[in-house]
């Protein structure tokens, strides 16, 4: 039930899937060193982590963490069953117990990763996709002020953000960051909207 997969999910959400996969394998080796069934545990941690990172993708929404947790749970249970079923001493109660522990591991890993992602992003000063989505919501106080006091500028900012997002996607830049920047680029006009026509 040790939620080692939370490490790979957190690293993937903060820095990208490549770094998460590269750092996960040595961590799995070091964690299982000198333990009984070390090779089986290494395979369990590594495969579940890789599949969880692939399911998480860019971590733009909270449900992505839950899907990653479900993927870790199911893949972990499958790895446990695949490794234990061929053994002559395998019994169904033991298999069900290990598969249940793998399922719990997936749920705990996803929850822990979501909490770590939130606090570490703020502590490290990293702007995450979820923070950008929060900033792009129309009920943000600055966007509401812009809509109320300078509606023309607000509409202009939406058009600029849409165009900038398409341009960023075309050149492979961070489209979400570009979109949010476009939404706020003329926010200063709200201070005196009559100066701008």
């Amino acid at each position: 039930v040790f939620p080692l997969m939370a490490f790979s999910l957190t690293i993937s959400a903060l820095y990208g899937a490549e770094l998460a996969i590269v750092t996960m394998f040595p961590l799995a080796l070091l964690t299982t060193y000198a333990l009984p069934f070390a090779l089986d545990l290494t395979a369990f941690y590594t495969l579940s982590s890789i599949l969880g990172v692939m399911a998480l993708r860019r971590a733009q929404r909270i449900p992505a963490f839950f899907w990653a947790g479900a993927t870790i749970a199911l893949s972990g249970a499958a790895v446990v069953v695949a490794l234990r079923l061929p053994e002559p001493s395998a019994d169904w109660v033991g298999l069900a117990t290990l598969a249940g522990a793998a399922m719990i591991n997936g749920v705990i890993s996803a929850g822990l990763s979501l909490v770590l992602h939130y606090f570490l992003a703020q502590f490290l000063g990293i702007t995450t996709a979820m923070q950008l989505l929060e900033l792009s919501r129309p009920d943000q106080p600055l966007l509401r002020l812009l809509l109320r006091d300078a509606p023309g500028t607000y509409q202009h900012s939406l058009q600029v953000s849409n165009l900038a997002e398409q341009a960023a996607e075309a050149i492979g830049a961070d489209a979400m960051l570009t979109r949010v920047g476009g939404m706020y680029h003329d926010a200063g006009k709200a201070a005196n909207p009559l100066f701008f026509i």
Side-chain angles (χ1 to χ4, degrees):
V1 186
F2 188 64
L4 191 65
M5 292 78 158
F7 170 81
S8 60
L9 291 180
T10 305
I11 296 297
S12 177
L14 292 175
Y15 297 108
E18 297 83 8
L19 184 62
I21 291 172
V22 167
T23 57
M24 183 58 217
F25 186 67
L27 182 63
L29 285 174
L30 290 172
T31 304
T32 60
Y33 179 74
L35 289 176
F37 303 106
L39 188 59
D40 294 352
L41 283 172
T42 302
F44 169 74
Y45 287 137
T46 304
L47 290 175
S48 298
S49 293
I50 290 172
L51 291 173
V53 166
M54 291 170 63
L56 185 63
R57 294 196 180 116
R58 299 180 67 190
Q60 289 188 339
R61 302 204 191 291
I62 290 177
F65 284 91
F66 298 121
W67 284 113
T71 302
I72 288 171
L74 294 174
S75 63
V79 168
V80 165
V81 169
L83 291 174
R84 294 283 178 232
L85 195 58
E87 292 181 0
S89 61
D91 63 332
W92 290 108
V93 174
L95 280 174
T97 303
L98 288 173
M103 296 275 196
I104 292 170
N105 189 341
V107 172
I108 292 173
S109 293
L112 185 60
S113 175
L114 186 59
V115 171
L116 286 172
H117 174 259
Y118 177 77
F119 287 111
L120 286 176
Q122 291 183 351
F123 179 73
L124 297 172
I126 298 172
T127 303
T128 64
M130 285 195 292
Q131 289 171 328
L132 291 173
L133 280 172
E134 186 69 25
L135 286 172
S136 67
R137 291 178 45 161
D139 63 347
Q140 284 292 325
L142 186 55
L143 289 179
R144 288 175 60 190
L145 174 75
L146 193 61
L147 177 60
R148 186 182 66 238
D149 293 350
T153 300
Y154 178 79
Q155 293 301 322
H156 160 73
S157 296
L158 289 179
Q159 292 171 349
V160 167
S161 68
N162 287 333
L163 288 171
E165 180 182 29
Q166 292 173 11
E169 287 174 354
I171 63 171
D174 189 344
M176 180 65 70
L177 180 64
T178 306
R179 177 177 180 76
V180 173
M183 291 178 78
Y184 287 93
H185 83 281
D186 269 346
K189 289 182 179 179
N192 201 337
L194 298 178
F195 278 14
F196 306 96
I197 59 169

